[in-house]
Amino acid sequence: TKENLIHGNLILDKETKYLSYKIPVMANPPNWTWWHKIHPSNKKENTSLSKDRKYLLIRANETAPRKLQIAIQSQLIPKSDLIIKLNQIQLIGTHNSYHIAPEPGVMKIIQSVMPNQAENISYTHRGLTEQLKLLGIRKFELDLFHDTKGGTFAYPLGPTLAGLKNWKSLHPEFDTESMMVAGMKIIHFPNFDFRSNTPTFKTALSELNKWSSRNNLHLPIMILIETKKTITSSKENKLGAFDANDFRQLEKEILEVIQPEKIITPNKVQGDHKTLNQAIRKGDWPLLAESRGKFILALDNQGVERDNYLKLHPGLHGALLFVSSPPGNPESAFLKINDPIENHSEIQKRINQGYLIRTRADSNLKEGRKNDYRQMNLAFSSGAQYISTDFPEKMAGFSDYKVQWPNGKVGRLNPLFTPDQQVIMEPEKLNSQIISRQFSLKTPTHVPKK
């Protein structure tokens, strides 16, 4: 309303040829500060904020409006967010985050045919919200099948072969209705290892986004996507690898759930640099101030699927996902290096070059059976920013093995970086009110022409 408008004057800086307005200061607690951003509804205005976010800026020329009305959002954040960047922290995530171990009758079939595989899939994760809330998980790995017509995975064969009567009562999480709808489905292995705590990609995104919106001070959540297979009648795609159409649908589903401003995209990281790789080699990952409450998405695949995605988005321009490409490639910013034992020095080298890396604290449940922390400790000390595990907590039937930070908190400073002040990772209260203020600003009478 007009009564709530804050009136002020834009001041001309003759050297920079920008009009500026100092955003009024509000009181803040010790070690906290206000982080300002222009409301998304004002995108049409040719405005920006200064690097320290204290000033509103607009280019001074004849196109500058005589009076500017603009909304600015302000949020309290830890003061250390102004010096720590996304690549300077470490977070723990889950491997196959959706996975529920097969029902015993179905597991017997798997054991009879693929005994080694059966040993590797006898784990169950909590639901995604519980992983976020109770375990501090900030990276999720999802396996996607593109069911282009719907219903392909609605009636898994395993329970029938196992002779399970009323099998759905033994699989309360299975949502036949959702599985009948065309779209991206989350499954490890169809028909047998099919149990998932979230049946579709959109249900997973919705669950993560709902929690995120209620806890907007959370550290950036990575969603690592492995594309398994597209169910298509195309004779040209016999292997079922995701192609451009599949990736378009994948991105469509993402944007139907998560607002674009909540996604840290390759374009946002690249900024004004010539390539994404150039940006990250110069350390231009976003500050935590710009990353809290947001998602970063990446593609797990490194073969034909990655090539197909890059054909859709050359150099990752306009892409929603980062990809794991060879270091030095124009689009290379994220690397998947699974084994920190064999590649400890390589991971550290790439971290120091500016890359964002995902590695694993354990694999195939071996470490959990042996209570072996060697790989976990090397993953921690490697500096990899996102560390994956099957054991975010102690699991029944295994040892006491679990992957958590020593202090039990969410995230920690990357050991390869040393800040010059105390850093707040995640405060106890994860929700910070966003204050929106409306400004009416007058432009000076004499503004230089272009």
Side-chain angles (χ1 to χ4, degrees):
T1 63
K2 290 183 178 180
E3 292 78 9
N4 293 329
L5 278 176
I6 299 172
H7 296 273
N9 296 305
L10 289 159
I11 298 172
L12 175 63
D13 186 322
K14 293 182 179 179
E15 289 187 11
T16 64
K17 295 184 179 179
Y18 270 93
L19 297 167
S20 68
Y21 172 74
K22 188 173 183 180
I23 300 169
V25 176
M26 295 185 288
N28 54 272
N31 299 320
W32 289 72
T33 189
W34 288 99
W35 178 256
H36 306 297
K37 59 183 178 181
I38 298 168
H39 193 281
S41 63
N42 298 116
K43 284 181 179 178
K44 292 182 180 179
E45 302 289 353
N46 188 25
T47 54
S48 60
L49 293 171
S50 60
K51 197 169 184 179
D52 61 9
R53 298 283 170 138
K54 292 181 179 179
Y55 291 86
L56 176 71
L57 304 175
I58 184 168
R59 177 69 72 177
N61 54 44
E62 71 268 19
T63 64
R66 289 300 167 204
K67 182 180 283 187
L68 176 68
Q69 290 206 356
I70 192 165
I72 295 178
Q73 294 178 321
S74 304
Q75 180 182 16
L76 273 175
I77 61 168
K79 191 174 287 186
S80 55
D81 282 11
L82 301 179
I83 62 166
I84 302 299
K85 294 188 174 184
L86 166 62
N87 64 320
Q88 295 176 327
I89 61 173
Q90 286 186 302
L91 297 164
I92 292 171
T94 45
H95 168 248
N96 291 344
S97 309
Y98 58 88
H99 193 264
I100 298 175
E103 189 276 336
V106 177
M107 182 66 94
K108 285 182 180 179
I109 296 175
I110 300 172
Q111 287 170 334
S112 67
V113 180
M114 298 180 291
N116 292 335
Q117 177 71 4
E119 286 186 3
N120 298 337
I121 59 174
S122 58
Y123 62 95
T124 294
H125 286 306
R126 293 174 182 260
L128 304 186
T129 301
E130 286 193 14
Q131 290 185 48
L132 286 162
K133 184 178 179 180
L134 302 180
L135 303 178
I137 295 304
R138 297 294 180 265
K139 181 192 65 64
F140 295 86
E141 300 182 7
L142 306 175
D143 293 335
L144 300 187
F145 286 79
H146 188 191
D147 184 3
T148 56
K149 294 183 179 179
T152 303
F153 308 107
Y155 299 96
L157 183 61
T160 302
L161 292 179
L164 300 180
K165 295 180 180 179
N166 299 319
W167 69 271
K168 287 186 182 178
S169 65
L170 299 173
H171 300 76
E173 78 289 339
F174 193 84
D175 185 352
T176 303
E177 186 177 347
S178 294
M179 300 303 275
M180 290 300 295
V181 179
M184 301 289 164
K185 308 294 168 57
I186 297 178
I187 304 169
H188 191 230
F189 191 81
N191 289 316
F192 297 96
D193 190 15
F194 61 88
R195 299 187 71 183
S196 169
N197 57 40
T198 179
T200 71
F201 188 39
K202 288 182 73 172
T203 58
L205 294 175
S206 296
E207 188 172 352
L208 294 172
N209 192 48
K210 182 179 180 180
W211 184 89
S212 170
S213 297
R214 293 176 176 176
N215 299 274
N216 57 18
L217 285 178
H218 69 75
L219 293 167
I221 296 169
M222 173 176 277
I223 303 174
L224 184 62
I225 297 165
E226 181 176 354
T227 60
K228 288 292 190 86
K229 192 174 183 180
T230 180
I231 309 304
T232 176
S233 57
S234 172
K235 294 180 181 179
E236 297 177 359
N237 191 359
K238 294 180 180 179
L239 296 177
F242 271 48
D243 60 17
N245 289 329
D246 300 301
F247 281 118
R248 286 191 189 97
Q249 177 62 26
L250 187 154
E251 292 191 329
K252 179 174 180 287
E253 292 193 11
I254 292 170
L255 293 176
E256 285 174 349
V257 177
I258 303 176
Q259 306 93 311
E261 58 268 21
K262 286 190 66 173
I263 302 173
I264 300 168
T265 63
N267 278 5
K268 290 176 183 176
V269 175
Q270 181 174 333
D272 295 329
H273 294 281
K274 188 175 181 180
T275 67
L276 176 61
N277 186 252
Q278 185 183 86
I280 64 101
R281 292 294 294 266
K282 291 186 176 180
D284 280 352
W285 287 99
L287 291 165
L288 281 192
E290 302 167 279
S291 306
R292 286 191 188 271
K294 294 183 180 180
F295 297 92
I296 182 167
L297 299 102
L299 183 66
D300 182 90
N301 308 70
Q302 295 175 290
V304 64
E305 292 88 354
R306 179 186 65 195
D307 296 341
N308 288 343
Y309 191 65
L310 287 172
K311 287 176 184 175
L312 180 64
H313 295 294
L316 291 183
H317 295 297
L320 295 184
L321 312 182
F322 289 81
V323 298
S324 183
S325 285
N329 277 21
E331 74 281 355
S332 183
F334 162 73
L335 301 174
K336 187 183 73 169
I337 305 178
N338 285 335
D339 188 345
I341 297 177
E342 293 292 327
N343 301 293
H344 190 265
S345 60
E346 172 71 7
I347 293 173
Q348 290 193 328
K349 173 185 173 182
R350 298 305 180 187
I351 295 291
N352 286 321
Q353 289 176 344
Y355 290 92
L356 197 71
I357 293 178
R358 174 268 195 185
T359 194
R360 296 186 67 169
D362 44 74
S363 60
N364 296 329
L365 309 182
K366 297 192 303 291
E367 289 74 16
R369 290 192 174 93
K370 298 177 181 178
N371 203 30
D372 182 358
Y373 284 89
R374 186 168 62 115
Q375 183 167 327
M376 185 200 81
N377 289 331
L378 286 170
F380 284 5
S381 64
S382 73
Q385 292 91 346
Y386 288 94
I387 298 165
S388 179
T389 180
D390 287 318
F391 295 88
E393 58 185 331
K394 180 182 173 182
M395 199 183 305
F398 291 84
S399 67
D400 290 337
Y401 178 82
K402 60 182 178 181
V403 177
Q404 296 176 357
W405 301 118
N407 60 10
K409 294 189 177 181
V410 178
R412 72 169 188 177
L413 273 174
N414 195 309
L416 303 190
F417 299 93
T418 306
D420 57 4
Q421 64 173 275
Q422 186 178 0
V423 174
I424 297 174
M425 286 286 103
E426 283 195 353
E428 288 186 16
K429 185 181 178 183
L430 268 180
N431 184 268
S432 174
Q433 181 184 3
I434 296 175
I435 296 173
S436 187
R437 294 181 289 174
Q438 299 283 339
F439 293 86
S440 178
L441 307 174
K442 289 183 179 180
T443 303
T445 306
H446 300 290
V447 176
K449 295 183 178 181
K450 285 184 180 178

